[in-house]
Amino acid sequence: LALRGDLRGDPSFREVLRRVREACLGAYAHQDVPFERLVEEVSPRRSLTHTPLFQVMFALQNTPQGLVSFSRADAPREDAAAGELWLSAAEFDGAESHSLTAKFDLTLSMLEMRDGLEATLEYSTDLFERATVERILRHYVCLLEGVAADVGGRLSELRLMDELEESQLLRVWNDTARDYVRGRTAVQLFEEQAAKTPEAAAVVCGARLLSYGELNEQANRLAHYLSACGVASETIVAVMLDRSPELVVALLGILKAGGAYLPLDATHPSERLSYMIRDAGAKVLLTDERLREKAPAEPVLQVVCLDTAATLLAGQSRENVESRAEEDNLAYVIYTSGSTGRPKGVSIPHRGLSNLIYWHQQTYEVKPEHRATLLAGVGFDASVWELWPYITAGASVYIPDDEVRGVPHKLQQWLKEEEITICFLPTPVTESMLMLKWPREIALRSLLTGGDQLVRRPSASLGFEVINHYGPTEATVVATAEPVSPHDENGTLPPIGRPIANTQVYILDRHLRPVPAGIAGELYIAGDGLARGYLNRPELTAERFLPDPFGAAGGRLYRTGDRARFLGDGRIEYLGRVDHQVKVRGFRIELGEIEAALTAHTQVAEAVVIAREDEAGDKRLVAYLVAGVVDDGSIVATA
C-alpha cells in the first residue's frame, strides 16, 4: 500500500498520528486493488532509475514478540503460541542472510521488541554512502526522542540533531575568526605600498604602464579636486569608464577623497543609468569625452571628463589627502537586478572590502612580483576583487582589450605572453578555458572562478590550480572558496567550499533552524563581509538582512535565496535557487525586472517569465509568455 503523509499546517505529532491512522484505514479498505492498477491510474513519469509513486518504504513489524525463536535444541525459550500455531524466527548465518539488492532507495524496517524498537535501514549504495545512512539513523533516533518527550509538539519544533552535531554546523565549521588590522582602509594600505615601491608597475594596459608612484599622484590630484567639489564621507560619485588605467585612477581618487564609487556600465540603457544615478543621489560623474554622449542628462549631475580635464587636474596637489573614511563608511555601491523591475543598490562599507583584501592576500600569498588581471566589467562586483587585493600588496594588474578577453584561445595566449600568475575568470569563461590544451610551461599558478555553478573539472595535467568561489554582491564578492579537484567525487559537481575569513555560512530551514549535513536548505551568510543593506530600500533590507540568532548580539544574517547543503566534511554544495532568479553569464537577473520591461510596452497587457531548472539544478532556460492587445482590440498570446 502506497500511503501519502499529510504534514500541512505544521501539525503536532499527535495530529500526524491521527492523519496517518485515517490514511491507513482508508487504504486498507482498498487493499485488494492491484498496485499496477494504481500506477496506471496515477500515470507518473516513468524512469528506470527508481520505482513509481514512492522511493522510500517504512515497515513496522508489530507481531506480538512472545512469538520468538526456539533454541538449537528445539526447546522453546519462551511461550510462542498463537492459538494452535507455533512460530519461530530463524537466524541465517553467512552471506545468504544479507540482501545484496536494495528494492527501493531507502527501506526502514522496525521491529517491536519488549524493551524497545529494533531498526534496520536498507539503502541503495548507488545513491547513499554508509556515513550518510548512519547520520540518517542518528537523526531519526533524535527525532523519536523529541516525540517521546513532547508528543504534542509541532513538527517544526522537533530536533534532528543533538547539541554536539549542531555545534559542529554552527561553530566548528564556522570557526573562521582571523585577526587583521581593523580600521585600515584600502586607501591606507595602497598609500603604504606606494611609498615602499613607487617605481614598481601598478597597472599595465597594452603599452601603457602606471607605476605605483604615478598612480598615487594622479589619484591624489583627482581626490583634491573632488574634495573641492564637495565630495566627502558618504558622498557617492558615479564612474563610467572602460577598463583602463584611468578607471583605476578614478576609483582610487574617489576613495582618497573619502567618497564611495558607483560603477556604471556604458552598455546599459540610458534610462537604467539615469535611475541608478538618481537613486544613489550621485552629484558627480567621472567619465571621458568618448563616453560622455552616453551619460544621462541629469540636471544636478556634474560631469567630469578625465581626459579633457587633464590640465585642470594637473594643477591640483599631488600630496596624499588626509584620510577621511573609516571602516563603517561607504566604499562602493553596485546595482543588481530587482524583482520589482527596478535595480537595487547594494551598499558595501570599507570593513567588508578590508576583510576581502586581507583574506585574499593571505590565502593566495599575494606578493609584489605577482601579475594579476582585470577582466570583469566595471559594473560586475568581481572587478572589486580583481583590483584592490593586488594594488594594496604591490602586485601588478594587467588589463587586456575586449577582443582578447572575449576569445578563449586569444585570452590563453595573452595570459602566457604577459606571464600572468593569478587570474579571475567568470564561470562560463573558465569552463571554456578548461577545454583548451594548456602548455606545461606557463607562469599562471592560480585560476580563480565564480559567479555561476561550475560543472567542469580541470585536467590533472594542468600546471595551475583552479579555485571555485561563491558569494553574492551583498557579501562583498566572496563568501566561500574551494580548490577544485580534478577527480569527480561521488558524481557531485565541484563544491563551493568553506566560508572565508571572518565569515559564517548557515544552511537553514524555513523556520531559520539549522539543517543537518546532507540536507538541503537555504544558505545564509553572516560576518564582516556583509553589506549595510540596499540603498534607500529599508523594507527590502529588513526582508533580506535578518538578526543573527547564532552569533554575537547585533549581528546580522543575509538571506541569499540560494539552496545548498553541507557535505559530511563541512564543505558546501550549491543546489540552485529557492526563487525565480536566474544567472546569465554570472549576472543575477530577476525575472520580475524582465516582466516589468515587457509590460511597459503599450501593446502588452501582461507578461509572465518562466524559468525551468536544467540538469545541473540552475534555472537557465527562460521562456516568455506575453499577452498583448492588437489594433482591433483582441487579445493575443505569444510564447
Side-chain angles (χ1 to χ4, degrees), residues 231-237 253-261 325 330-331 350:
V231 174
S233 174
E234 301 298 313
T235 303
I236 297 176
V237 178
I254 293 169
L255 295 189
K256 278 176 170 282
Y261 66 85
L330 196 61
H350 279 278

Side-chain angles (χ1 to χ4, degrees), residues 344-363:
K344 54 186 183 292
V346 181
S347 303
I348 301 294
H350 279 278
R351 179 191 294 107
L353 181 56
S354 297
N355 186 66
L356 177 71
I357 291 171
Y358 161 79
W359 165 79
H360 186 92
Q361 291 177 349
Q362 296 298 312
T363 301

